[in-house]
Amino acid sequence: MGEPTRLTSPDRVVFEGAGYTKQDVVEYYRAVADWMLPELARRPLSLVRCPDGAAGQCFFQKHYAESLGDDVRSIDLMQKSGVEPYLYVDDIEGVTDLVQMNALEFHPWGSRIEDPERPDRLVFDLDPGEGTGWPDVLRGARDVRDRLRKLGLENFVRLSGGKGVHVVVPIAPGPSWDDARAFSDAFANHMAVQAPARYVATMSKAKRPGKIFIDWLRNARGATSVASWSLRARQGGPVAVPIRWEELGRVDGPAAFDLRAARRRAARMRKDPWEGFETLAQTLPVIG
């Protein structure tokens, strides 16, 4: 572990309107670290960095650089262009280093650095198209939940902090990325075929109005999904918050928690809303 990060420009406002500063961001991540790190640590990461705050120009970064900080780690991963250095963190000090470098969002792989070619979770992102409301998203999320359960897969729900919700499925490492992608593709397309007026499983924006896009494409090698407890680089400082299925109908939207509200929730929690997630050793079924 390197020396504790010295935060530069701690009073700089990162989320205009809400008034949250860079110091607020660091203190938030330290406050939720115990809940966030199990999903974040020791996984290849992509970041959303916003040097001019959430309202400015932001960019994704997935490659390691020494300038990111002493507690940010590097892992070499094979890509089509050859071996490339990706980044990951072990602990909250690494997260703090990345916030110092203006990282706001954290998007981990669905696999760990110890076995990056074997995913241990799947994510289905329910992205509502134009003309689709929050009640439609709730209905869709519960439909995904129930269909997965019929296949023997327990699953968990997260408010995305953006437009929709994520349904997350823990699996035992073993399937390849190709296996994970094939299952996710078949599952989402099966839903779209059975309920074409409600769902679409392709990225085509022309097909999305009035429907929910079941985004299964995050379940591919190198694709990522935002981590639970991660801030989103959006107005107001919303957070991607894991909740219990029983809570879903009591929230008013996917960005129901901002930085302050998410921090309060984390402080009050005595039990993980995703209790049991890490110990579920589920196997992927075959979709006939």
Side-chain angles (χ1 to χ4, degrees), residues 76-84 86 109 117 221:
D76 288 336
L77 296 174
M78 180 61 70
Q79 301 297 321
K80 292 180 179 179
S81 58
V83 175
E84 299 179 11
Y86 280 63
W109 278 36
E117 304 307 325
R221 188 181 187 277

Side-chain angles (χ1 to χ4, degrees), residues 168-184:
V168 187
V169 184
I171 59 174
S176 67
W177 281 113
D178 285 344
D179 294 333
R181 181 183 173 93
F183 171 83
S184 303

Side-chain angles (χ1 to χ4, degrees), residues 118-177:
R118 302 292 174 182
D120 64 0
R121 64 192 57 196
L122 306 177
V123 179
F124 295 95
D125 179 4
L126 277 67
D127 185 1
E130 184 179 352
T132 306
W134 180 236
D136 300 303
V137 175
L138 296 181
R139 181 183 176 193
R142 290 171 179 140
D143 194 5
V144 171
R145 174 196 64 189
D146 295 344
R147 290 170 184 261
L148 287 168
R149 284 177 175 173
K150 287 180 180 178
L151 292 172
L153 293 173
E154 190 52 74
N155 52 89
F156 300 79
V157 64
R158 172 170 61 217
L159 304 176
S160 71
K163 295 191 299 179
V165 300
H166 298 163
V167 179
V168 187
V169 184
I171 59 174
S176 67
W177 281 113

Side-chain angles (χ1 to χ4, degrees), residues 102-122:
N102 303 303
L104 292 181
E105 296 188 15
F106 296 87
H107 296 242
W109 278 36
S111 62
R112 300 180 182 275
I113 61 167
E114 291 83 3
D115 195 359
E117 304 307 325
R118 302 292 174 182
D120 64 0
R121 64 192 57 196
L122 306 177

